[in-house]
Structure formats: C-alpha cells, structure tokens
Amino acid sequence: MPGNDKSGFRTATIGVLVENEAGILARVVGLFSGRGYNIDSLTVAPVNEDRRLSRITVVTSGTEMVIEQIKAQLDRLVPVHKVADLTQDGPHVAREMALIKVGGKGEARMEALRLADAFRARVVDATNESFVFEMTGSGEKLDAFIALMRPIGLIEVSRTGVAAISRGTGRLQG
Amino acid sequence: MSVTPADATTETPTLSGAEIVLRALKEQGVEVIFGYPGGAVLPLYDAIFQQNAIRHILVRHEQAAVHAAEGYARSTGKVGCVLVTSGPGATNAVTGLVDALMDSIPVVCLTGQVPTHLIGNDAFQEADTTGITRPATKHNYLVKRVEDLARTVHEAFYVARAGRPGPVVIDLPKDILIGKGPYTGAPREEHRSYRPQTVPDAGAIREAVAMLKRAARPIAYTGGGVINAGPEASALLAEFIHLTGIPCTNTLMGLGAFPGSDPQFLGMLGMHGTYEANLAMHGCDVMLNVGARFDDRVTGRLDAFAPNSKKIHADIDPSSINKNVKVDVSIVGDAAEVLRALIAAWKADDTQQDRQALSAWWRQIDAWRARDSLRFNQQGTIIKPQYAVRRLYELCRETGRDTFIATEVGQHQMWAAQYFRFEKPNHWMTSGGLGTMGYGLPAAMGVQIAHPDALSIDIAGEASILMNIQEMATLAQYRLPVKVFILNNQYMGMVRQWQELLHGSRYSESYSEALPDFVRLAEAFHGTGLRATCVEELDGVIRRMLETPGPVIADICVDQKENCFPMIPSGAAHNEMILGSGNPDDPVMIIDEETVLV
C-alpha cells in the first residue's frame, strides 16, 4: 500500500463529491476536528456545469481502521454523493500548486532561476530583488524545491493543497 | 430531494411561510408539536392559533420539548416534532438534540431565526443555530428563500427517519415565515445524495449463517437498531432466536426488543449487565450483533472484549461497523431486513448445528445464571431501591394496563433496566448514549401525549428529577397523568457509588442538601404527592399512585448506601465484575476462572 509506514499508519487521498451548499465545508472540517482525525490538506471547488456539485480532495493519515472510519463518516453526511479512496482504489494523479517567493541578488538570484528551470517552475512575478515562482507537482516535489530555496532566500510560500483524480476513464459520481 | 418543476405540484403563491410550514408538517403526518414561543417564531404561532389539525403542547423549557418529542417518537415509531424560538430557544434545545443524536431518535426541530437581513449582525436573540447544532444533529438547514420552505420540511422528515434515525434542525428566519410562496408536496423521487442501504448483501448473510451454524458458543447481542426498525424487527428477532436456540442479550437501548421473560434472554449486558450476559459475551465463540454499536459501556476494556470470538455486525450505519471493534463479517442493512434474511438463509443452509455443543453452552450459562447476580437483601424496614422497582413492576403488571417506563440517569436508571421487565419494544425510554439527567419526566410526558390511556411512569432519582421539574406544570395544564416514581437516596447515587468504589469514599458534592419536600412540590403543581419511608408503606403508595387519575409524584425514601451491582468498573473486562453479595458493605470482585476455560 503506498504511503504505508511501519506503525500501521498510512496516508490516504480521499475524493468527496458533495452538494455545493452552504455549510458543507464546515460539516466536513467539523467531522475531522470533532472526531480527532488528521487533515494534511484539503481543497474544494465546484466542478460541474451548473455548480451544484463540489469536489473536495482531502489528504489524511491514520491506521487502516481510522481511514475506513473517515470514509464511512464522510459518506453518511447527507449532502455527500460519493466518497472514494484514491490511494486505495488504484492509480491516480495527485497535484498541488504552490506560489513561492524568493528574494536575493547576484549569484543567489541566478541559482534560484537555474533551480526553478530544473524543477520546471515558472516565474510569474519578478522585481530586482525577488521572484515569485509558480510550480505544480506532487507534494514531495514542491517540498524539495522549497527546501532548496530556503538557504537562497525563501520569503514566503502559498500552497493550494492537493487535487487528485483517478487515472483512466472511471469517475467519481453519486 | 430533487423536485423538478414538471413533477412538483406547485400552486399559486398564496400561502405565507408559516402556513407552508404547517401544511408540510401535516402532510408529513405530524399531529403534535412540542414547543415554546418567542419573538422569531411568532408568525408560526399565529398560524398554529388559526388551525386545529396540529396540536401544540406548551412545555416549560426547550430542552424538555426535545425530550418530550423523543418520548413521543420512541413510543410510536413516528418522527417527533419540536418548535422553539431563536437564540436561547435554540441553545436550550441543544442538549435534547445531542441526546436524540446519540440514541438515534427521529426528531425534527424547527428553530426561529432573526430576519435574513439581520443574520450575522448580533441581533437580539440571534445565535448561529446551524453552526451550533451542526455536530448536534444528523443534518440541519437554514432556509433563506420561501420557495425552498416546503421542500426543506419534507426533506428534513425524510432525513430524520431514513437510515439511522436522528434529529434534524430547520432554522427559519422570521421574514421567511412572513413572506409568501408556493407550496410543494412531498417529492416522490429519491433523495439526490442520501440513500442509505436497507437491504443486506446476500453473501454476507450466508457467511454469517455459516459461521453461526458452526458455532459452539454463539450469542446474539442486540440494540436500539432493532427497536428503530419497528415492531416487526422485534418479532423477527424472537423468531430467529427461537429458530437457532441461541442465547440473546440486549443493550440498554435495546431492552424490549426480545421478551424479558423468555428463557433464552440473558438480561442486559454491559457495565451493569447480568453476570450471565457478560460472561457469555466474554466466552462466546461467535457473536451476532444486530443494531448495537459496541459502546464502551458495553464492551468494557476493548483488548479483552470477547477475546476468542468471531464477530458478525449488522447495522444500518456503515460507520458503526469496525469503529470500536474489528469484526469478521459486516452486514449493512435495516435490522428487520437483516433478520428476515438471516431466517431465510438459516432455513436454506443444510449444515447441521452442533446441538451437543449448544447444550453444553447452555449448561454453562445456566451455571452462571445460578449465581443470581441481581439478588438483593430486602431486610428490615429500610426500602431497598431494587425492591421498590421490582414491586413497581409487579404491581403495574397486576393492573393489566399498557405500561411505558421512562427514566432519568443514574443508579435508578440501571435498577429500572435490571428489575423492570420489558416484553414489547417501544415501551422503554431512557437516555443511553448521552446520559442526560432530566430526560425522563419530559419523555414520559411525550409518551403520555401519544398514549393517553396508557400508564406512563418516570422512574427517577431525586437529583435528576430536579433538572426538568418545571414540566410538572405542563402535566397539570394538559392533565397528563404521568407518574413520577422517585428513588430518593438524597445522593447523586451513581456519583456517590463511584466515589465510594474509586475515590476512597470522599463524597465530593454528591450529597443533596435542602431537597424540596416532593409531596408538597407535587401539590404546588396541582398534582398528588405520596411518600413511602419504610417497606410496609411501599405497596400502598405504589397502588395509590397507580390508581390516582392525575399526575403523581411518589417519593420513595430508599437505602442511601445501596450500590448498583453487578458492575464492570470502567476500563475492566467482562470477566472482571464486581458482584453484590446482597450486603452493600461487602461487594465481591469476581475474576471468573471458568471463563478462561471456555
């Protein structure tokens, strides 16, 4: 199982299709905090034509029993259409976007640009003393790039959290 | 639920929001609302005033309105209905809502709200009701358009009763109640997203039957889910237990699902369950759980719970399965459907049951039974609380009347569960999950509204009863002949018991000084007050209580030192039980060695 470690904990990327209604995010977040589950990241946005449905991607971790509980608890919320454990159900693509602001002059500046190029980060803002890089990829890739920027002059980071989708023709539907 | 304009029965928008609400309630079969008025819900009260189809019962505190609706719901199988105002009306109702959530009781609670344009402005009697009640309900709604009103009410009733039942709040801003809009009837199509599975998977049922047929020491452990699935589920449970010949134990919430007098009944299990029920759970090799949730009061220490058993769990709520206890076979479905399928599969399966092993298992259970763990010594003139409950049971039975029992929370609740015997479902109202002191009197009131000719009794403690004592006024107003049977030991008895057993007899704040005179209290509320101070007076007082037409408080002064046994201390295993020896000063810790063998 991907993300499984020795203590029996694993990471799960869970896709949740919900009615796009007031309070739905509070319901999901309240469920996690009220029952003591972890949220590593959470993203949400409307996904269908008439904006009636939203898709939440939540990355969580716990023992297999806890992750099964999380899925069952999410599934019994009234506005939830469908819950899928993307980590468990098969191959999937998970991506996160980050905006990374790096300061510096001279050689540090050049080094930041070279690394950005190697990581395929785009420059979306530049001043004489700073860059803002936009970068998309797995969480690990973002972590690696941010770690490299830290000694060069990392100023701040804004990350979206993970969006994920299964590979192939299957889809999450209620 | 999706209502497309084509199939909805839309009418000319001539109704006010308040009228729409009442019409939708009527269509949902509501006959009674328990409520308390206030500024934000005045338009609804005005509409109630101008109609006769729905009866409103004025409670004296909003918490009691919810408990009354719970008693009504649990004793009828219908959805209970509550109406309270905004702000404090809603916050007072929260305890009742959580109570209904924990015990899976279907209730729809309408709360008033300040007008939509004032929401978020800290207006007078404004509270974020949907925010506050989100974790206190199964689901909640804030209605922001009068066009959504009828649909929301219909959906709320569907959600309250479908799947695992629970409380639903509809928050109603005042301008929405005044505004005009269309009425739409209850939709016929399925809900867009909430469609709980009720019919069990046939493969899981076959697997369960195969396991049970090969069991040497099987046991059935059933809970409130069987009651919630309707009287048919209880009848099917009895059929299945008789068909298989296996022992059956009930949780606190499940009492009445299986006849208390049946020889295959082991009594209640759990912290204050019988010796035979708990040791049979500990020693079983196959356990069938139907509609119970492996609550910590039932399992005791989890790593020592039924250690050598295969477990089958049937529940309508998939999140109850594998939550506390990992099971071997999981069955998602309505208890009645599950039991029906189990009966059919049992008959279809050719495997012969090991009858010899089953007889040996029953001999073991009978040996445990012979310890008579509910034994007590009624000596001298001081009334033992257990004796008081047993006499109440026997004298109620003598009347031949349909009898409903509600309780508060504490020792008296456990004694009621142990010594009152329930033969039928829906006759036992108690706060199991939340453990709400103050539940019993309003619940008994709701029962009496639903069953005007029945005997509705609240078995209470002198501490709990004071938590909703104001409802005596409601009893007086509606001439509800509820009987309050107080086991008065002048202590918060269960607190006192834990302090005695676990905190070196330091009775911190558990003694009630300055109790009211319950006889005069009953009289002040236009009822009848009775008191028994010695065992010679007990039967007379119970008989008079049962014969008196109006509301009665019977103050039964009982032994102050009596403890509730058997008891599995919190965090102990089923075979580490404290038994009463019949002498309260001499409890016996039993670590049963026989169970190690089985």
Side-chain angles (χ1 to χ4, degrees):
Chain A
M1 187 68 56
N4 228 340
D5 71 16
K6 280 184 225 110
S7 59
F9 266 60
R10 75 164 171 108
T11 301
T13 303
I14 298 173
V16 193
L17 199 63
V18 300
E19 285 286 294
N20 180 21
E21 61 179 40
I24 178 63
L25 194 56
R27 272 180 220 290
V28 170
V29 172
L31 170 66
F32 276 77
S33 64
R35 292 185 182 268
Y37 306 141
N38 300 315
I39 298 181
D40 296 334
S41 92
L42 188 148
T43 60
V44 59
V47 287
N48 71 336
E49 262 173 288
D50 60 5
R51 300 180 68 82
R52 278 179 78 173
L53 294 177
S54 283
R55 180 167 174 141
I56 296 174
T57 304
V58 57
V59 180
T60 182
S61 56
T63 61
E64 197 56 49
M65 206 164 160
V66 165
I67 287 171
E68 288 307 311
Q69 255 302 292
I70 290 172
K71 289 188 279 181
Q73 292 287 352
L74 284 168
D75 204 31
R76 75 182 189 139
L77 294 178
V78 171
V80 167
H81 283 266
K82 187 78 182 170
V83 178
D85 184 340
L86 295 166
T87 308
Q88 192 178 55
D89 291 352
H92 69 282
V93 184
R95 289 290 179 271
E96 187 177 358
M97 202 264 272
L99 296 170
I100 301 140
K101 188 179 287 184
V102 181
K105 289 178 176 177
E107 183 49 32
R109 209 168 144 74
M110 294 312 294
E111 179 66 6
L113 264 187
R114 275 195 295 271
L115 286 166
D117 191 46
F119 275 78
R120 291 186 197 146
R122 291 201 304 140
V123 177
V124 291
D125 179 66
T127 67
N128 289 334
E129 296 178 1
S130 71
F131 287 118
V132 174
F133 297 113
E134 174 199 313
M135 184 170 167
T136 306
S138 67
E140 291 81 13
K141 181 181 165 187
L142 268 51
D143 290 342
F145 182 69
I146 291 164
L148 286 170
M149 289 302 110
R150 195 159 281 124
I152 294 173
L154 183 71
I155 297 173
E156 64 173 348
V157 177
S158 176
R159 294 173 70 152
T160 58
V162 173
I165 204 160
S166 65
R167 290 185 186 273
T169 54
R171 66 166 162 173
L172 193 59
Q173 59 186 351
Chain B
M1 22 199 103
S2 87
V3 179
T4 53
D7 55 26
T9 49
T10 310
E11 293 178 5
T12 24
T14 48
L15 296 181
S16 72
E19 288 164 337
I20 292 170
V21 170
L22 284 182
R23 186 156 163 195
L25 294 182
K26 205 177 146 201
E27 189 177 336
Q28 289 295 333
V30 173
E31 291 167 355
V32 184
I33 299 176
F34 300 91
Y36 201 102
V41 284
L42 282 177
L44 253 176
Y45 273 88
D46 201 37
I48 287 171
F49 188 84
Q50 297 175 52
Q51 56 86 52
N52 287 317
I54 298 175
R55 186 178 178 206
H56 181 273
I57 303 296
L58 175 67
V59 296
R60 267 53 176 181
H61 188 289
E62 290 88 349
Q63 181 196 349
V66 186
H67 293 325
E70 287 184 88
Y72 181 92
R74 196 144 180 92
S75 67
T76 60
K78 296 188 209 166
V79 179
C81 191
V82 177
L83 170 58
V84 299
T85 194
S86 64
T91 57
N92 273 347
V94 168
T95 300
L97 294 170
V98 180
D99 191 273
L101 183 71
M102 294 282 274
D103 286 345
S104 309
I105 311 296
V107 169
V108 169
C109 177
L110 310 172
T111 56
Q113 183 54 277
V114 300
T116 45
H117 68 274
L118 284 179
I119 289 178
N121 285 22
D122 299 324
F124 177 65
Q125 292 196 329
E126 182 186 355
D128 174 10
T129 300
T130 47
I132 290 167
T133 61
R134 198 170 289 127
T137 54
K138 182 174 173 185
H139 195 53
N140 63 16
Y141 303 88
L142 169 63
V143 183
K144 285 181 165 169
R145 300 183 330 147
V146 68
E147 293 78 18
D148 296 334
L149 205 42
R151 182 187 59 78
T152 305
V153 175
H154 295 310
E155 182 174 324
F157 276 82
Y158 165 75
V159 169
R161 77 167 85 83
R164 179 176 178 179
V168 177
V169 159
I170 312 176
D171 204 22
L172 299 166
K174 193 170 184 179
D175 54 326
I176 302 298
L177 293 175
I178 294 167
K180 303 266 187 204
Y183 181 77
T184 47
R188 279 178 198 88
E189 54 288 271
E190 282 194 311
H191 190 275
R192 277 168 59 83
S193 56
Y194 187 67
R195 298 186 292 270
Q197 180 183 346
T198 54
V199 179
D201 174 68
I205 292 284
R206 277 196 302 272
E207 211 182 325
V209 165
M211 213 174 250
L212 282 163
K213 282 234 168 165
R214 286 168 184 81
R217 302 181 306 277
I219 189 166
Y221 137 58
T222 81
V226 178
I227 311 258
N228 277 336
E232 194 199 358
S234 296
L236 289 165
L237 174 64
E239 188 184 336
F240 182 71
I241 297 299
H242 293 150
L243 177 69
T244 56
I246 70 177
C248 181
T249 176
N250 286 162
T251 67
L252 179 68
M253 295 309 293
L255 291 174
F258 191 69
S261 60
D262 193 291
Q264 281 172 258
F265 186 55
L266 305 190
M268 181 174 74
L269 82 163
M271 187 173 269
H272 294 288
T274 65
Y275 188 64
E276 54 270 31
N278 285 332
L279 289 193
M281 286 289 281
H282 191 82
C284 74
D285 68 345
V286 175
M287 173 192 302
L288 170 68
N289 169 348
V290 183
R293 58 187 178 90
F294 292 110
D295 175 81
D296 59 275
R297 273 349 192 214
V298 158
T299 61
R301 198 170 84 231
L302 273 177
D303 59 11
F305 174 65
N308 301 311
S309 67
K310 294 251 185 233
K311 299 173 191 76
I312 304 159
H313 188 185
D315 204 293
I316 197 153
D317 178 3
S319 76
S320 281
I321 299 175
N322 290 325
K323 180 174 69 180
N324 302 331
V325 171
K326 187 105 186 97
V327 298
D328 300 280
V329 179
S330 52
I331 304 172
V332 176
D334 174 81
E337 301 284 351
V338 167
L339 288 161
R340 201 192 325 274
L342 284 172
I343 291 166
W346 183 275
K347 288 177 179 165
D349 187 316
D350 296 333
T351 316
Q352 286 302 309
Q353 230 181 331
D354 187 347
R355 283 276 164 188
Q356 223 172 342
L358 191 59
S359 316
W361 179 227
W362 273 112
R363 277 196 299 281
Q364 169 69 81
I365 289 170
D366 287 337
W368 288 327
R369 257 182 185 161
R371 292 196 94 124
D372 192 10
S373 62
L374 297 180
R375 176 180 76 240
F376 59 88
N377 270 350
Q378 176 57 63
Q379 292 169 334
T381 63
I382 299 175
I383 303 169
K384 290 284 183 190
Q386 301 96 321
Y387 180 72
V389 175
R390 179 166 287 172
R391 287 309 291 156
L392 176 68
Y393 166 66
E394 286 162 355
L395 294 174
C396 281
R397 216 167 45 159
E398 270 181 22
T399 67
R401 294 175 64 189
D402 199 17
T403 304
F404 293 81
I405 300 293
T407 73
E408 310 288 335
V409 168
Q411 283 184 322
H412 68 274
Q413 176 190 28
M414 293 298 115
W415 284 318
Q418 291 172 332
Y419 297 95
F420 212 99
R421 199 176 260 175
F422 299 93
E423 303 296 326
K424 287 184 286 188
N426 304 101
H427 285 65
W428 164 246
M429 329 294 132
T430 197
S431 172
L434 192 63
T436 313
M437 292 170 74
Y439 167 89
L441 178 56
M445 196 166 88
V447 167
Q448 192 81 79
I449 293 282
H451 309 273
D453 301 322
L455 203 44
S456 178
I457 300 173
D458 174 29
I459 298 180
E462 82 293 333
S464 281
I465 193 67
L466 289 177
M467 286 214 184
N468 267 321
I469 192 70
Q470 77 288 341
E471 296 309 316
M472 290 299 294
T474 312
L475 297 185
Q477 177 174 345
Y478 297 97
R479 299 192 169 79
L480 299 173
V482 169
K483 315 302 179 202
V484 181
F485 190 73
I486 300 176
L487 299 178
N488 185 346
N489 58 9
Q490 296 180 48
Y491 277 98
M492 294 156 211
M494 195 59 93
V495 174
R496 196 206 64 84
Q497 174 167 343
W498 281 52
Q499 287 172 334
E500 180 189 324
L501 299 176
L502 305 165
H503 297 276
S505 298
R506 292 179 294 278
Y507 299 126
S508 177
E509 304 295 324
S510 56
Y511 180 71
S512 298
E513 303 254 10
L515 281 168
D517 177 337
F518 285 106
V519 171
R520 283 161 64 198
L521 187 74
E523 286 162 1
F525 279 114
H526 315 288
T528 305
L530 305 168
R531 179 172 294 126
T533 54
C534 60
V535 79
E536 292 74 21
E537 293 171 351
L538 181 66
D539 279 16
V541 164
I542 295 175
R543 283 208 170 86
R544 248 184 302 153
M545 176 182 90
L546 298 178
E547 286 157 8
T548 306
V552 180
I553 293 180
D555 183 20
I556 311 298
C557 304
V558 298
D559 189 342
Q560 296 193 354
K561 292 231 174 76
E562 193 63 24
N563 284 333
C564 186
F565 291 122
M567 177 178 180
I568 300 173
S570 191
H574 274 179
N575 60 339
E576 298 167 353
M577 205 179 311
I578 305 174
L579 288 184
S581 61
N583 177 352
D585 299 324
D586 183 26
V588 187
M589 176 70 123
I590 298 288
I591 311 270
D592 198 279
E593 282 148 25
E594 293 161 50
T595 53
V596 181
L597 303 175
V598 293

